[in-house]
C-alpha cells in the first residue's frame, strides 16, 4: 500500500515520463490497484462469475467486473470498449496507454471505479467528492 501511495504521488507530480495526469485518473488507478492488492481485482476480460473468456459487454460491481450475457445481473452497466481498455491500463499501471483518453471515457471509467470501490468496501468514500470528477 505504501508503494502505491508513493507511486500515486509521483504520478500527480508529473513523474509518469510523459506528463501530468488528471487527479481523477491517478486516484482511480490507485483505487483499482489498492483493491487488487487486497484481493478484489476487477475482472476486465473474462466473466467475473463463470470465467467465460471475453471480451464481454456488461460490468457489474457486485459480480466483480465484466460479466457475460448469461451471468449479467439486472441494471449492469454497458461501458464502451475504450473504457474497459482504459481501466485495464489503470489497473496495470500502463501510463502511456492513458496518454490520450477522451473525456467521456475518463468520466465513464471513473464512475465504474467509484461504484466498484463502494461495493467492495461496503460503503462510499466521502473523500471522492473532494476530487474533481470530470
Amino acid at each position: 500500500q505504501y508503494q502505491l501511495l508513493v507511486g500515486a504521488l509521483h504520478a500527480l507530480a508529473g513523474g509518469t515520463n510523459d506528463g501530468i495526469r488528471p487527479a481523477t485518473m491517478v486516484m482511480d488507478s490507485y483505487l483499482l490497484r489498492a483493491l487488487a492488492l487486497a484481493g478484489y481485482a476487477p475482472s476486465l476480460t473474462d466473466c467475473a462469475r463463470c470465467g467465460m473468456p471475453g471480451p464481454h459487454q456488461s460490468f457489474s460491481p457486485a459480480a466483480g467486473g465484466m460479466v457475460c450475457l448469461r451471468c449479467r445481473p439486472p441494471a449492469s452497466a454497458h461501458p464502451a470498449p475504450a473504457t474497459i481498455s482504459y481501466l485495464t491500463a489503470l489497473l496495470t499501471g500502463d501510463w502511456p496507454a492513458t496518454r490520450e483518453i477522451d473525456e467521456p471515457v475518463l468520466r465513464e471509467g471513473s464512475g465504474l471505479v467509484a461504484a466498484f470501490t463502494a461495493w467492495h468496501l461496503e460503503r462510499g468514500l466521502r473523500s471522492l467528492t473532494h476530487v474533481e470528477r470530470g
Side-chain angles (χ1 to χ4, degrees):
Q1 289 292 341
Y2 175 76
Q3 290 291 11
L4 282 177
L5 177 60
V6 169
L9 293 174
H10 184 69
L12 283 172
T16 59
N17 294 329
D18 61 349
I20 295 177
R21 296 289 184 258
T24 301
M25 183 182 291
V26 175
M27 181 186 63
D28 289 342
S29 179
Y30 173 81
L31 290 172
L32 284 174
R33 295 171 85 186
L35 285 168
L37 188 62
Y40 298 105
S43 176
L44 297 174
T45 52
D46 299 339
C47 179
R49 281 206 174 148
C50 71
M52 181 192 305
H56 299 292
Q57 298 177 357
S58 301
F59 183 90
S60 170
M66 298 302 290
V67 288
C68 66
L69 289 174
R70 188 179 42 170
C71 297
R72 179 180 60 89
S76 296
H78 298 283
T83 302
I84 300 307
S85 296
Y86 166 66
L87 292 179
T88 301
L90 291 182
L91 183 59
T92 61
D94 184 6
W95 290 113
T98 66
R99 185 177 302 134
E100 297 187 23
I101 296 297
D102 295 332
E103 187 63 32
V105 170
L106 181 71
R107 207 174 352 191
E108 183 177 41
S110 191
L112 293 176
V113 170
F116 186 80
T117 301
W119 176 264
H120 288 284
L121 294 180
E122 297 180 0
R123 64 183 307 154
L125 292 177
R126 289 183 299 204
S127 59
L128 290 181
T129 59
H130 298 291
V131 177
E132 182 180 328
R133 290 193 166 274

